[in-house]
């Protein structure tokens, strides 16, 4: 298993929560051709989605880029770092756009134009980010198992709990 390290297990948990939320988003988009009715389940889902996406691309990405990737670069693993950083750059603005549109809809609902915008950005995000997380689950977690020793693991896990939660 790739969750032999504490930091690998923590990142894996986050990845699974992200995949769950993206699959929920995909189902939500499929269920609503027209803007969803206000209040109730739609609003609670949109609020939860908005918070999760924001945390994912602001704290989780920042942790990987700031704490983990420098360790990989120090060991000569620049290829995987360049690829994943590039994907982060393409996902971050899209995820923030979906998070902001969702948060605004909780405040004041969707109209036809904002619903279309949300659908388009949401569908694109589902595709890009599920693929990205699957790649990290294979490549990144395997690299952590191979490259991160027990001391670095303990430090990373503590930093993660402080910075990402
Ligand atoms: Fe990640």
């Amino acid at each position: 298993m790739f969750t032999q390290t504490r930091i690998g297990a923590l990142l894996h948990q986050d990845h699974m929560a992200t995949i769950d939320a993206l699959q929920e988003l995909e189902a939500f988009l499929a269920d609503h051709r027209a803007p969803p009715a206000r209040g109730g389940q739609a609003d609670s889902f949109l609020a939860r989605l908005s918070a999760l996406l924001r945390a994912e691309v602001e704290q989780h990405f920042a942790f990987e880029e700031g704490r983990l990737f420098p360790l990989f670069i120090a060991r000569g693993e620049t290829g995987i770092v360049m690829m994943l950083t590039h994907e982060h750059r393409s996902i971050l603005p899209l995820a923030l756009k979906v998070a902001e549109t969702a948060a605004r809809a909780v405040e004041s609902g969707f109209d036809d134009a904002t619903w279309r915008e949300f659908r388009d950005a949401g569908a694109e995000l589902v595709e890009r980010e599920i693929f990205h997380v699957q790649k990290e689950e294979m490549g990144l977690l395997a690299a952590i198992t191979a490259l991160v020793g027990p001391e670095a693991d303990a430090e990373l896990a503590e930093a993660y709990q402080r910075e990402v939660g």
Side-chain angles (χ1 to χ4, degrees), residues 11 15 56 60-61 64 88 132-133 136 140:
L11 292 170
H15 290 162
E56 170 71 11
H60 177 107
F61 280 16
E64 288 173 343
H88 283 178
H132 169 72
V133 171
E136 286 198 346
L140 184 64

Side-chain angles (χ1 to χ4, degrees), residues 19 37 58 60 120:
I19 296 266
E58 287 177 347
H60 177 107
D120 290 348

